[in-house]
Amino acid sequence: MIDEHAHWFHASPMSEKEFMMASAESWKENEVKKDVTEMNRWRPFYLYLRKLMVKKFGGNFIDERNRMIKDDPVKYVGELLSEAGIKGIVIDEGFGRKVHEIPIPVKRLFRIENIIGDLFSMSFDRALETFKETLRRKVKKEDYAGFKSIIAYRTGLPSSCDEGSALRDFHSGEHEWYGRRAKGFRDFLFCVTMEEASHMNVPFQVHTGAGDRDIKLNQSMPSILTDMVRTYEGTIVFVHAGYPFHRETAWMSYLFPSVYLDVSQVFPFAPLGGYHVLSEVLEVAPFTKVMYGSDAFEIPEIAWASASLFRSAISKVTEELEEIGVLSSTERKEVEEMISFKNAERIYGRFNT
């Protein structure tokens, strides 16, 4: 399997409570005056993850985990990924930090929002040129495999590219929690990234649909991007399949050659939902357009558990497709391989050891 969407993660000793909270995207303790611990203890994903850990390590799983990590954290991560059958990972470097090596082939994506804040200290023309130069350098000289945008967390997905709006908003002083709002400017940089990615023949991952508590959910629907991708010549990947708007994404992948999707986040954070989302996506999406991903972060067990859930779900979905006559037994195996790793290798290149 290729995990097409993840973030840096590492292994370090933890209490079970710390382990539980590290696997959550919600509020952490002391951030709000609510009992977030109990809420997170009863998440479907944590119940599943804990059972996997007990099955593998026994009732005192946290002690055994900590012992193995103290001996060799990199080896521990490698053994989990090997057991899961994960042979390569695409890392969005914009979230988390690299603490130690992940002992399998990794391809990195450059998150464009990481440099936008620095551009406001320049003139408009210089800011645009610096942005383009940075994108080209990341791919051509620093070996990044493509780009990522989380504009849905900032001003919402863009619906148009207008340089006049970009110039006007570049000089606006309006702020939000992340800094200068500058929606027109951010939208325009998104369009510039699409253009540069197409010229360099690298993919552009875009966060769509649900996320953590900062998401602008009503502005994250994949269909907002319809006009932009209608005639786009590059490759754009709608991360998380746009869940809960995944049927929009599936239909767009059917209509537009440029649109691909992954099923990360629903795998593994919605254990039952992962199966349903995959089933609904494959109602119409070309099998060549769908990729596996986990959205793993912080701890390696997220990637490990996600792979387990995905294997079960894709087997069940392709079995149903075979039963109703969509797939032959030979085609079923081919489709499982496409979604598990072949589509990712076609888009990102081979994950050589």
Side-chain angles (χ1 to χ4, degrees):
M1 294 173 65
I2 299 297
D3 190 333
E4 186 270 348
H5 178 58
H7 307 277
W8 287 119
F9 53 75
H10 62 279
S12 60
M14 294 176 168
S15 67
E16 183 175 353
K17 183 175 170 181
E18 290 170 334
F19 178 74
M20 177 186 71
M21 297 301 290
S23 71
E25 295 180 295
S26 70
W27 295 92
K28 306 299 183 184
E29 281 193 289
N30 303 318
E31 287 185 319
V32 291
K33 294 179 180 179
K34 292 286 184 180
D35 184 2
V36 295
T37 304
E38 191 69 4
M39 175 182 78
N40 281 295
R41 189 186 311 281
W42 284 98
R43 286 176 295 128
F45 171 60
Y46 186 67
L47 293 174
Y48 178 77
L49 175 59
R50 192 181 192 284
K51 286 177 174 62
L52 281 186
M53 294 294 286
V54 169
K55 182 178 179 181
K56 182 175 178 62
F57 296 118
N60 293 324
F61 73 88
I62 202 71
D63 292 337
E64 180 63 13
R65 176 188 188 271
N66 289 342
R67 183 192 66 77
M68 295 178 69
I69 289 170
K70 288 176 181 177
D71 288 345
D72 190 335
V74 175
K75 181 181 178 183
Y76 175 80
V77 171
E79 289 178 353
L80 284 182
L81 298 179
S82 177
E83 181 179 309
I86 301 170
K87 304 300 183 184
I89 301 181
V90 180
I91 298 284
D92 165 14
E93 288 200 313
F95 178 76
R97 60 191 179 93
K98 182 179 179 181
V99 175
H100 58 62
E101 294 296 330
I102 296 177
I104 61 173
V106 167
K107 292 182 182 287
R108 299 173 299 155
L109 298 180
F110 178 70
R111 184 182 286 190
I112 66 172
E113 282 76 18
N114 284 7
I115 60 167
I116 291 177
D118 297 334
L119 302 178
F120 293 107
S121 62
M122 309 173 190
S123 69
F124 178 77
D125 289 342
R126 182 58 187 153
L128 286 182
E129 189 57 37
T130 297
F131 185 75
K132 293 177 184 179
E133 289 172 353
T134 301
L135 296 186
R136 294 165 188 166
R137 184 180 73 251
K138 292 296 177 181
V139 170
K140 295 179 179 179
K141 295 185 178 180
E142 299 181 26
D143 200 32
Y144 281 78
F147 307 114
K148 168 74 180 294
S149 174
I150 57 162
I151 197 170
Y153 279 99
R154 302 296 187 257
T155 53
L157 294 172
S159 58
S160 64
C161 303
D162 180 71
E163 190 165 358
S165 296
L167 179 60
R168 180 198 66 217
D169 288 358
F170 179 80
H171 293 292
S172 169
E174 186 179 1
H175 276 67
E176 287 196 24
W177 65 268
Y178 50 80
R180 294 273 288 277
R181 183 170 184 272
K183 176 171 174 51
F185 182 61
R186 291 176 184 274
D187 287 359
F188 194 69
L189 294 183
F190 185 97
C191 300
V192 168
T193 305
M194 289 180 66
E195 183 177 300
E196 293 294 329
S198 179
H199 288 163
M200 291 187 283
N201 194 31
V202 296
F204 182 22
Q205 279 191 7
V206 181
H207 179 104
T208 56
D212 63 34
R213 60 186 182 266
D214 299 320
I215 194 69
K216 291 178 168 33
L217 188 60
N218 65 337
Q219 299 172 56
S220 71
M221 295 178 290
S223 56
I224 294 171
L225 295 170
T226 299
D227 288 340
M228 288 189 177
V229 302
R230 192 183 302 278
T231 58
Y232 183 49
E233 297 292 338
T235 296
I236 190 162
V237 181
F238 290 1
V239 173
H240 314 320
Y243 177 81
F245 315 110
H246 50 284
R247 282 177 159 166
E248 288 186 9
T249 308
W251 195 260
M252 292 174 73
S253 76
Y254 163 69
L255 291 177
F256 306 128
S258 61
V259 175
Y260 292 73
L261 62 98
D262 74 35
V263 289
S264 63
Q265 197 176 69
V266 288
F267 289 102
F269 300 114
L272 189 59
Y275 158 73
H276 291 302
V277 168
L278 185 62
S279 177
E280 290 172 352
V281 161
L282 295 183
E283 290 174 352
V284 66
F287 300 127
T288 56
K289 294 294 202 72
V290 182
M291 292 176 283
Y292 167 70
S294 70
D295 200 25
F297 60 91
E298 194 161 348
I299 56 174
E301 289 84 0
I302 294 175
W304 171 69
S306 181
S308 173
L309 284 165
F310 177 76
R311 286 184 190 281
S312 175
I314 195 170
S315 178
K316 185 175 180 181
V317 172
T318 56
E319 180 181 17
E320 292 171 349
L321 289 168
E322 184 179 357
E323 286 175 354
I324 65 172
V326 174
L327 297 176
S328 67
S329 58
T330 301
E331 289 169 334
R332 178 183 172 185
K333 182 176 185 296
E334 187 175 1
V335 166
E336 290 177 357
E337 290 179 345
M338 284 181 188
I339 297 171
S340 297
F341 67 93
K342 286 186 175 179
N343 293 340
E345 287 194 327
R346 182 160 47 84
I347 291 175
Y348 296 96
R350 296 297 298 272
F351 286 72
N352 298 319
T353 55

